[in-house]
Amino acid sequence: MMSLALLACWSCAILIVHVFVGYPLCVWLLARVHPHPIRKRAITPTVTVIMAVHDGSRHIKAKMKNLHALDYPAELVDIIVACDGCNDATPALARHFGGTRTQVLRFDARRGKASCLNDAVKLAQGDVLLFTDVRQKLSPTALRELVANLADPGVGAVSGELHMENVRSGFAQGVDAYWRYEKLIRQSESRSGSTIGVTGALYAMRRELYEPLPHGTVLDDVLVPMRVAATGRRVVFEPRALAWDQPSQLPEQERRRKIRTLAGNYQLIQFAPWLVQPTRNPLWFRFVSHKLLRLLAPWLIVLFALSTAALATRHAPYAWLLLLLLAGAALVAAGRLLPTLSRWLPVRLATAFYYLNLFSAQALFAFTRNRGLHLW
């Protein structure tokens, strides 16, 4: 039994360290030692902005004004707004504030974002597709910065950078810190080759590379770029193309969105099994390390804790490891019981780590119970 506990403990430890430290360090070093520069230059291809919306009347006016304020020749940009089963004034507001170069598609029954994107792309005329969401504000130069990367013929898609604003609570600060950590990984992936995902609120791609998404796809911002990479084109990250969003201030506010997103990773494997095949997925190692092992992380942590507890009574180093795990749990509990402590850096990082892994574990059960993810 002790041999099994040792094997479980060290196997879990190695995988956990690889997921959260080893893989980020690996791509960072690769970006430093063997960078893949992007041959950017200022270009102005025709662009179709694609935006799928469900009940977005609170944001649509500001979003349309934001799109019209982009620093890009207006005559080269058209906009398609796909209203997915909206029960509010979104379609009327989009027409009113969209102008003559805006086309509004209204679907009375809610079908999910993927189907709306497919229908919108069919009508797109631009050489470049710019995907964005209704809630986030874009920087004036975002579109120029994105398309400059597409001047490189080896680049097929490019992601913008999402910034968090109005970060008030300790939980929100922890989530913001995690997101900055995630962006560092994406930057390293981009500089060393390709990222495995894009920011759903802001990304652009060559129109000819778009393939219709399966009905109900949740993570279009992963499946689309992975398909682009499968064609041999790069998917890169542009930190000067900015979008701004606000994080959830409390775990309860983040839970539903995060579980849905994480469950979407299971759906990806269901829809695109080639993603887990090394011979078909050129980014297989990155996909497994960055996405799949993240889904396993909560179960690896539980097994690591159990095996460490079994070894702690016989070997002092494992007793110290167990104490460290308990100390981490105590930080999370302290943050919940004493909100004033939630702004202390160790507490907010431990809390964010705990909840992100908790949501990851819950995502597995959510996916098995409900395959209609797009209608949540």
Side-chain angles (χ1 to χ4, degrees):
M1 290 297 293
M2 287 300 104
S3 297
L4 286 176
L6 279 169
L7 178 62
C9 179
W10 283 103
S11 297
C12 291
I14 290 169
L15 288 173
I16 292 168
V17 170
H18 171 73
V19 171
F20 296 108
V21 180
Y23 173 69
L25 183 60
C26 177
V27 290
W28 180 81
L29 288 173
L30 189 59
R32 294 291 296 272
V33 174
H34 189 57
H36 290 215
I38 304 167
R39 290 171 287 176
K40 293 176 58 177
R41 62 181 175 87
I43 57 172
T44 52
T46 56
V47 177
T48 297
V49 180
I50 305 289
M51 183 167 61
V53 186
H54 173 71
D55 289 350
S57 60
R58 288 187 304 162
H59 307 286
I60 191 67
K61 176 181 176 180
K63 184 67 175 191
M64 299 309 296
K65 288 185 175 181
N66 179 223
L67 292 175
H68 290 310
L70 291 174
D71 179 22
Y72 202 86
E75 67 276 10
L76 300 179
V77 179
D78 65 290
I79 303 170
I80 301 177
V81 180
C83 298
D84 185 25
C86 292
N87 298 308
D88 60 9
T90 299
L93 291 172
R95 292 189 184 96
H96 180 74
F97 293 103
T100 58
R101 299 189 66 81
T102 297
Q103 183 175 0
V104 178
L105 305 181
R106 180 169 184 170
F107 304 104
D108 293 331
R110 192 175 182 188
R111 305 177 305 152
K113 181 179 180 181
S115 295
C116 289
L117 294 182
N118 291 340
D119 287 339
V121 172
K122 288 178 184 176
L123 300 176
Q125 299 296 314
D127 294 325
V128 171
L129 303 176
L130 174 69
F131 294 95
T132 187
D133 292 331
V134 70
R135 192 177 67 247
Q136 294 83 11
K137 178 184 177 181
L138 310 184
S139 61
T141 60
L143 180 52
R144 282 191 181 273
E145 295 290 353
L146 290 176
V147 299
N149 290 268
L150 296 175
D152 187 330
V155 174
V158 53
S159 172
E161 178 172 351
L162 186 65
H163 273 284
M164 298 296 179
E165 57 183 0
N166 194 25
V167 181
R168 300 191 310 270
S169 69
F171 176 77
Q173 290 173 356
V175 171
D176 182 53
Y178 175 81
W179 179 237
R180 283 187 271 117
Y181 158 81
E182 175 68 21
K183 287 190 289 188
L184 287 174
I185 298 175
R186 292 191 183 189
Q187 282 184 314
S188 297
E189 289 177 336
S190 176
R191 290 171 181 168
S192 61
S194 285
T195 68
I196 59 163
V198 293
T199 300
L202 178 61
Y203 70 100
M205 66 178 294
R206 301 179 191 276
R207 178 163 58 92
E208 69 269 17
L209 297 180
Y210 183 89
E211 298 178 35
L213 293 162
H215 174 70
T217 300
V218 171
L219 297 183
D220 62 283
D221 52 2
V222 177
L223 184 54
V224 169
M226 292 301 293
R227 284 174 164 178
V228 170
T231 68
R233 302 288 185 96
R234 292 177 65 188
V235 180
V236 299
F237 180 77
E238 176 50 71
R240 286 178 289 189
L242 305 178
W244 285 276
D245 201 359
Q246 298 190 25
S248 301
Q249 302 298 329
L250 299 171
E252 294 76 15
Q253 297 171 348
E254 179 74 0
R255 179 180 179 276
R256 182 178 179 182
R257 185 197 69 81
K258 196 64 181 178
I259 289 177
R260 180 177 181 271
T261 300
L262 289 165
N265 287 289
Y266 292 103
Q267 186 199 59
L268 276 180
I269 307 307
Q270 179 186 22
F271 284 169
W274 60 269
L275 289 171
V276 295
Q277 300 175 22
T279 56
R280 297 185 62 190
N281 183 358
L283 302 181
W284 177 84
F285 176 74
R286 298 183 179 210
F287 180 76
V288 170
S289 298
H290 197 158
K291 289 294 181 182
L292 296 191
L293 289 180
R294 290 265 186 99
L295 297 176
L296 287 178
W299 313 109
L300 294 172
I301 292 168
V302 170
L303 183 55
F304 176 69
L306 293 174
S307 58
T308 301
L311 294 165
T313 57
R314 299 192 178 209
H315 306 283
Y318 297 98
W320 285 108
L321 276 176
L322 183 60
L323 285 175
L324 285 174
L325 290 172
L326 293 174
L331 289 175
V332 176
R336 293 292 291 174
L337 296 174
L338 300 170
T340 55
L341 291 178
S342 64
R343 293 184 178 275
W344 186 38
L345 180 62
V347 172
R348 68 174 187 251
L349 293 180
T351 300
F353 184 80
Y354 166 76
Y355 277 108
L356 289 172
N357 281 285
L358 174 64
F359 297 155
S360 182
Q362 292 174 333
L364 174 60
F365 299 106
F367 178 70
T368 57
R369 289 197 307 266
N370 179 15
R371 302 301 177 93
L373 295 172
H374 66 295
L375 297 179
W376 287 9

